[in-house]
Amino acid sequence: MYKTANDHYREIFGCKVYKLSLDGGFTCPNRDGTVGYGGCSFCSGQGSGDFAAKPGVSVTDQLHRAKAWVEQKNKGGKYMAYFQAFTGTYAPVARLRQMYLEAIAPEEIVGLTIGTRPDCLPPETVSLLGELHRIKPVTVELGLQTVHEETARRIRRGYPTAVYFDALRKLKAVGVEVVTHIILGLPGETPEMAEETTRQAVLAGTDGVKFHLLHVLKGTTLEEDYRRGEFTCLELEEYAAILTRCIRILPPHVVVHRITGDGAKRDLVAPLWSGDKKRVMNYLKGYLARELAQQED
């Protein structure tokens, strides 16, 4: 099979670990005009933080609120502070230091996870992350999505793929764990192209992968493209087949942190089947179990 995030954290911490999603009040260089406006074509108005605690309150208060939502399911477990919304390193290093230290201060917080863009990791920020990693484990999630430059331009990613490889190398040099986000079903991409993205991320040294289904949300430029008929979304069976091909590429030590992604159901435009999260997860887990078991035989 493959190593899940649950397996990974139990190996390290000896218990279940829940991520407490935080919003640090960040924006994104692809929204504020530094790189572009409006963000990547698929990105919602919440900057992938649809399920994060809302900004405007302290990090400590956000942690308390997020913990209250899950503590009944996490008896005796630990927690990971997760800056999920927008670009979690896009701020002066002094502000980042203050927020990150506040996030990892509680004893039950065993580590820090930060979602960011590869082009938002200047040397002083990388140095800070290495420093914090010596206090508690730090994981940085990099939004790669694809290694193919034509697709990257089409989705308005805003940086060349070489920037991802450089950022990964610098993070690994200071001991930080790296998880790479990959989107399956991007406009114009074939299953072979998705496999190539996965292969290159593995060769570059990523420690983990988050696979996402391309889904269309209201208010995004991707919605405009979809309604113009410029692309179609994958069916569940197609997604499962591509996901399996990509997971087969992963060495045993690379952790699969996510096998699909979903936005807020109220904003979902397509594919509508992805809104039934329980059904989708059951189908994908069953499909992977069957297909990967056949590979091992």
Side-chain angles (χ1 to χ4, degrees):
M1 281 293 286
Y2 55 91
K3 180 183 283 190
T4 67
N6 189 44
D7 297 333
H8 177 58
Y9 290 133
R10 284 189 182 277
E11 285 181 7
I12 298 173
F13 303 112
C15 62
K16 178 79 174 178
V17 176
Y18 269 85
K19 287 183 178 177
L20 303 179
S21 294
L22 307 172
D23 191 326
F26 300 105
T27 182
C28 172
N30 205 14
R31 287 179 175 270
D32 68 6
T34 303
V35 171
Y37 294 97
C40 297
S41 67
F42 55 82
C43 192
S44 72
Q46 286 71 46
S48 300
D50 303 82
F51 307 111
K54 299 307 177 188
V57 295
S58 71
V59 169
T60 298
D61 286 343
Q62 287 191 53
L63 286 173
H64 287 321
R65 294 180 186 184
K67 181 182 174 184
W69 295 336
V70 300
E71 60 185 350
Q72 291 300 317
K73 298 185 291 184
N74 197 34
K75 298 290 186 180
K78 299 292 185 180
Y79 301 92
M80 186 84 63
Y82 182 22
F83 285 95
Q84 181 180 21
F86 293 101
T87 304
T89 60
Y90 191 46
V93 72
R95 180 185 166 205
L96 295 176
R97 179 187 297 275
Q98 180 181 6
M99 283 195 299
Y100 296 163
L101 285 173
E102 184 177 353
I104 64 175
E107 183 179 353
E108 68 270 22
I109 302 296
V110 294
L112 176 67
T113 298
I114 304 160
T116 193
R117 290 169 57 91
D119 58 351
C120 291
L121 288 163
E124 62 272 20
T125 300
V126 174
S127 178
L128 170 63
L129 296 173
E131 175 188 331
L132 294 172
H133 187 67
R134 293 189 287 273
I135 302 173
K136 290 183 179 180
V138 174
T139 300
V140 173
E141 297 186 356
L142 294 178
L144 170 62
Q145 323 309 355
T146 180
V147 296
H148 304 285
E149 300 292 0
E150 182 178 349
T151 309
R153 287 190 293 270
R154 186 169 180 177
I155 64 174
R156 298 181 5 200
R157 189 181 64 186
Y159 69 85
T161 299
V163 174
Y164 160 79
F165 294 117
D166 185 56
L168 190 150
R169 178 182 58 80
K170 290 176 179 177
L171 291 168
K172 297 283 285 184
V174 297
V176 170
E177 181 181 74
V178 176
V179 175
T180 301
H181 288 242
I182 296 173
I183 297 179
L184 308 183
L186 286 166
E189 290 213 348
T190 64
E192 291 76 18
M193 292 171 75
E195 286 183 287
E196 183 60 22
T197 293
T198 305
R199 185 176 293 107
Q200 289 199 33
V202 168
L203 291 174
T206 192
D207 299 289
V209 179
K210 279 190 170 182
F211 292 107
H212 299 267
L213 163 74
L214 181 73
H215 54 273
V216 182
L217 298 177
K218 294 177 184 176
T220 62
T221 56
L222 191 69
E223 181 190 10
E224 298 172 11
D225 296 342
Y226 176 76
R227 295 199 185 281
R228 284 194 297 266
E230 295 183 9
F231 71 96
T232 57
C233 293
L234 296 173
E235 296 296 335
L236 176 56
E237 297 78 10
E238 294 176 300
Y239 180 78
I242 298 172
L243 174 67
T244 302
R245 290 173 64 162
C246 291
I247 288 180
R248 281 177 172 150
I249 293 169
L250 303 178
H253 69 274
V254 174
V255 181
V256 179
H257 287 258
R258 184 180 285 274
I259 59 174
T260 190
D262 58 330
K265 195 171 181 179
R266 65 181 180 276
D267 295 326
L268 181 65
V269 175
L272 293 179
W273 58 259
S274 67
D276 189 346
K277 187 172 182 178
K278 184 176 181 180
R279 171 179 172 264
V280 170
M281 291 301 295
N282 287 339
Y283 180 89
L284 292 177
K285 289 178 180 178
Y287 188 99
L288 288 168
R290 290 192 304 273
E291 294 299 315
L292 296 178
Q294 290 176 11
Q295 179 186 12
E296 294 169 359
D297 288 344

